[in-house]
Amino acid sequence: MIRAILVGIMIAGAAITVEASDSCIECHGNRQRMESLGYGHFTMNSKEVGAQTRMPATCSECHLGNPVAKEKEGAHRGMARLLVVGKKGFTVITSARRYPLEYGTNPMNRLYTVAGKDGMPVKDTSVTAISWHDKRVDTLSQDFEVMGKTCGACHRKEFEEFSRSTMAINGKQSQYKGWITPERGPHNCGPWFEGNFGALQANTQLPLSPEGNRINQKACNTCHVGCLDCHFNPQKKNNADPSRGPHTFVKTPPSESCYGNGRASICHAGPEDRRRGAGYFGGSFSFPEGNEPDVHLKARVGCLDCHESTKSNPAIGHGMVKRQAQDSCGRCHPEAVKTHATSRHRDLSCEACHIQKVAGYQGTYWGPGKIAGTATPYFKYKAYYGYMPEPVLIKDQKGRWIPVKPFPMAVMNQKGSPFTPGLHWRYPSDLPELKRTDDAWGYVGLLDGLPENNKALLWIQMDKMSHKLGKSRSCDSCHGSPDGAQLQKVTWEYSDPGAMPFNGSHEVLADRNGLFIKGMRSEKIEPEQGYSLSAFAPWVYLKDAWRIGGDFSLPVIKDRKRYETFRDSPDTRENAGIMHH
């Protein structure tokens, strides 16, 4: 009798599950009914969804809602939806979408929303971002409640581990609590606005409204990762491959997911191809567009092939990815790593020689402007996009030479600053590898001299570069100068709000006396109405102010004749232990 009751319960449970699932499919599986409602494009059935997700989950187990309700409003109540973010106020557009996502060919913007115009679908220009349904509607940050009810309901261990990971808690950027955080210093990405409004307002000369503070933070939150950012991989439906379609999931995140997976320059695309200027993908992700990608892209070596994660080490915890990957070079290049360790250049990182033509930001300034239609003293004028021929090499905290791209930065309208001029490091060298970075910055000072937006906090951004590996730079690019000086001539074009586009250039000099950004010049600048030159181009007034002291010269070659012999003969260099094999 007990057995009969248990079997009855099991059958009833199975029936409820099928019924719950089928209540969604009653509409979405019926093309005629969906077309009569005007949403024929959203027709789907359990079989094709299952083939794409490769999971037995029902519709409501992923999307929530009320699967028992028979009417549209009731069934969709509480449903987790795709977040379509509008340009005005970064507000989620709540009106029902008439069309599904479209798929383009540009890998950076392959996913986009469309709207109807004259009865035809066209790209929706009112949309600034797309986020998946595990993000919060109000802040655009992760929605751990939704994640727990959906992905976490079946993948409890993975969800709990991810919730503690650096990516989930925004463990790096959230430590920049303002422009004058003593432990970290000012950062190109700006401060963490959430929870720090009082401190930011206290050191800002212009009014900083709560709404402006909130909008600034929402702009940051679009990069914050949830479960779907890594594992959801929607694609155009392919009848020849049932696994490809708008519900496609992947167990191991592809490298594209680390770059936003077709939803603009977000996640690691921004920090790598914009800020550091030496990204893995390059191409359409680079600024200016078309910079060469990392040589490993063509060789199909992905992010998780080099960066340790649960794919290679389950003990690391789900969602944790090891930042430092230099130990992985030896797996594919054992001879080069072995001979480099005993060579004359053993104190150079691999990237120091193998990165050239650094793109991305060549200057960034935070001044008053509007973001998503809201006034703020902190708009990021970042589109000084251009090229530096080779990185500048500096010694890291352990004495190893690493490549950086020094570029001028300023935040206007500050009241005070606690920093001392000179070179600083974002994170100390004694932190474990999962927490440490090798990023540096140089504090210049709190300067007067602007006609408005005065008291500008100046620094030199110097993030370490690790990607865009390729052919090694020439010997003369480091040792051509007899006194060890490094000189890079930088060209750029400005294309952000504030002025009509204009071209310019400057030089970066690193020698025994310090690090200097000098000779900043441009063609005539025509500011737009309502913008002041000091907000987006303070360098016009401050000239060559970006400089810090210290010895940034490279080792001097004393025997130039012998150097020329090695320079002109790669075999001789290798046999003499100057370079690796």
Side-chain angles (χ1 to χ4, degrees), residues 308-318 320:
E308 191 175 56
S309 67
T310 46
K311 176 185 176 183
S312 52
N313 179 11
I316 202 171
H318 198 79
M320 291 296 290

Side-chain angles (χ1 to χ4, degrees), residues 285-553:
F285 286 99
S286 63
F287 298 83
E289 187 174 352
N291 199 17
E292 286 294 316
D294 194 296
V295 69
H296 295 95
L297 179 67
K298 187 176 181 179
R300 300 183 182 276
V301 178
C303 301
L304 298 184
D305 293 323
C306 293
H307 292 275
E308 191 175 56
S309 67
T310 46
K311 176 185 176 183
S312 52
N313 179 11
I316 202 171
H318 198 79
M320 291 296 290
V321 179
K322 195 172 183 179
R323 187 184 186 97
Q324 281 70 28
Q326 64 266 23
D327 294 340
S328 65
C329 299
R331 293 205 303 267
C332 297
H333 310 283
E335 181 67 13
V337 170
K338 180 181 177 181
T339 55
H340 176 69
T342 58
S343 74
R344 183 71 62 87
H345 288 80
R346 58 185 172 274
D347 291 333
L348 272 73
S349 66
C350 300
E351 311 90 83
C353 281
H354 289 279
I355 293 177
Q356 298 184 69
K357 198 178 181 184
V358 184
Y361 304 144
Q362 305 297 343
T364 301
Y365 310 99
W366 288 80
K370 284 189 174 182
I371 181 168
T374 300
T376 175
Y378 297 129
F379 181 85
K380 184 180 181 181
Y381 297 95
K382 60 185 182 299
Y384 283 85
Y385 293 131
Y387 290 105
M388 187 168 70
E390 282 113 3
V392 169
L393 305 185
I394 66 173
K395 282 189 176 182
D396 69 7
Q397 298 174 85
K398 296 183 178 180
R400 185 184 61 155
W401 292 95
I402 60 172
V404 298
K405 180 189 68 177
F407 62 92
M409 290 211 59
V411 55
M412 270 55 81
N413 299 297
Q414 299 301 287
K415 292 180 180 178
S417 170
F419 308 117
T420 57
L423 183 68
H424 298 266
W425 296 93
R426 301 288 186 193
Y427 291 78
S429 60
D430 57 356
L431 284 177
E433 288 186 341
L434 282 171
K435 296 183 178 181
R436 178 173 54 81
T437 77
D438 291 315
D439 296 337
W441 66 285
Y443 179 62
V444 176
L446 188 64
L447 274 64
D448 293 317
L450 299 177
E452 60 276 310
N453 303 311
N454 213 1
K455 292 289 185 181
L457 193 156
L458 271 62
W459 77 96
I460 300 173
Q461 188 83 11
M462 284 187 278
D463 292 323
K464 177 187 176 290
M465 290 175 287
S466 300
H467 299 97
K468 199 183 177 301
L469 297 167
K471 185 179 179 181
S472 63
R473 57 196 290 182
S474 69
C475 298
D476 278 352
S477 70
C478 288
H479 300 298
S481 174
D483 60 357
Q486 305 178 71
L487 179 64
Q488 296 293 330
K489 297 182 179 181
V490 181
T491 57
W492 41 261
E493 179 183 3
Y494 179 81
S495 57
D496 250 347
M500 297 297 291
F502 58 89
N503 295 310
S505 63
H506 65 262
E507 293 181 344
V508 178
L509 173 65
D511 62 18
R512 64 186 62 178
N513 298 313
L515 181 63
F516 310 89
I517 295 172
K518 60 177 189 168
M520 296 193 73
R521 57 176 62 87
S522 74
E523 59 188 5
K524 185 179 179 180
I525 302 175
E526 300 178 17
E528 295 177 333
Q529 187 175 0
Y531 288 89
S532 59
L533 196 61
S534 60
F536 64 87
W539 53 269
V540 171
Y541 305 101
L542 301 176
K543 307 294 183 185
D544 296 346
W546 283 268
R547 55 177 63 203
I548 59 173
D551 186 355
F552 291 89
S553 63

Side-chain angles (χ1 to χ4, degrees), residues 559-569:
D559 189 342
R560 300 296 298 185
K561 194 169 184 178
R562 187 164 181 259
Y563 159 74
E564 290 170 4
T565 301
F566 289 130
R567 180 194 63 190
D568 298 333
S569 175

Side-chain angles (χ1 to χ4, degrees), residues 34-351:
M34 291 298 292
E35 287 181 347
S36 70
L37 296 171
Y39 294 93
H41 295 294
F42 290 93
T43 305
M44 61 200 70
N45 58 62
S46 299
K47 183 178 179 180
E48 68 178 31
V49 172
Q52 293 166 22
T53 64
R54 297 171 182 168
M55 292 182 286
T58 63
C59 303
S60 61
E61 286 173 329
C62 288
H63 291 280
L64 303 179
N66 182 6
V68 178
K70 301 297 182 181
E71 298 300 321
K72 174 184 172 182
E73 288 74 18
H76 287 187
R77 187 172 295 119
M79 191 175 78
R81 301 171 179 267
L82 173 79
L83 271 58
V84 179
V85 185
K87 292 178 180 178
K88 185 70 172 179
F90 294 146
T91 302
V92 174
I93 300 171
T94 55
S95 57
R97 289 185 299 120
R98 182 65 60 181
Y99 301 97
L101 283 177
E102 282 290 338
Y103 304 88
T105 57
N106 185 327
M108 188 176 79
N109 294 295
R110 72 177 184 89
L111 299 173
Y112 60 92
T113 55
V114 297
K117 184 177 181 181
D118 299 328
M120 297 294 293
V122 296
K123 189 170 184 178
D124 193 344
T125 56
S126 69
V127 174
T128 191
I130 299 170
S131 285
W132 307 131
H133 66 251
D134 55 358
K135 303 292 175 64
R136 290 178 50 163
V137 173
D138 55 347
T139 66
L140 306 184
S141 193
Q142 303 104 319
D143 193 329
F144 287 97
E145 182 180 357
V146 168
M147 278 190 269
K149 291 178 179 178
T150 55
C151 300
C154 294
H155 307 282
R156 178 56 53 186
K157 178 176 179 290
E158 288 82 0
F159 171 66
E160 290 176 352
E161 290 179 349
F162 167 73
S163 300
R164 299 189 296 268
S165 71
T166 304
M167 282 195 287
I169 64 174
N170 310 310
K172 293 285 194 302
Q173 190 61 31
S174 61
Q175 296 187 40
Y176 295 90
K177 300 181 183 301
W179 299 105
I180 56 172
T181 308
E183 298 83 5
R184 300 287 176 256
H187 196 277
N188 174 271
C189 280
W192 190 258
F193 290 89
E194 183 182 353
N196 298 309
F197 173 67
L200 283 163
Q201 187 181 46
N203 201 51
T204 305
Q205 295 186 121
L206 295 181
L208 173 62
S209 68
E211 177 64 8
N213 192 77
R214 187 181 73 86
I215 290 292
N216 272 111
Q217 183 63 42
K218 286 183 79 172
C220 299
N221 289 349
T222 57
C223 282
H224 298 159
V225 67
C227 303
L228 298 177
D229 290 298
C230 292
H231 296 287
F232 182 41
N233 189 30
Q235 302 174 49
K236 190 173 183 178
K237 189 175 178 179
N238 185 344
N239 292 329
D241 183 357
S243 69
R244 294 182 61 180
H247 284 89
T248 296
F249 275 76
V250 288
K251 181 177 181 180
T252 299
S255 298
E256 288 81 1
S257 70
C258 303
Y259 262 51
N261 209 358
R263 292 178 292 130
S265 182
I266 58 174
C267 301
H268 292 283
E272 295 300 335
D273 271 295
R274 287 199 189 198
R275 193 173 78 230
R276 300 175 198 274
Y280 173 78
F281 278 101
S284 62
F285 286 99
S286 63
F287 298 83
E289 187 174 352
N291 199 17
E292 286 294 316
D294 194 296
V295 69
H296 295 95
L297 179 67
K298 187 176 181 179
R300 300 183 182 276
V301 178
C303 301
L304 298 184
D305 293 323
C306 293
H307 292 275
E308 191 175 56
S309 67
T310 46
K311 176 185 176 183
S312 52
N313 179 11
I316 202 171
H318 198 79
M320 291 296 290
V321 179
K322 195 172 183 179
R323 187 184 186 97
Q324 281 70 28
Q326 64 266 23
D327 294 340
S328 65
C329 299
R331 293 205 303 267
C332 297
H333 310 283
E335 181 67 13
V337 170
K338 180 181 177 181
T339 55
H340 176 69
T342 58
S343 74
R344 183 71 62 87
H345 288 80
R346 58 185 172 274
D347 291 333
L348 272 73
S349 66
C350 300
E351 311 90 83

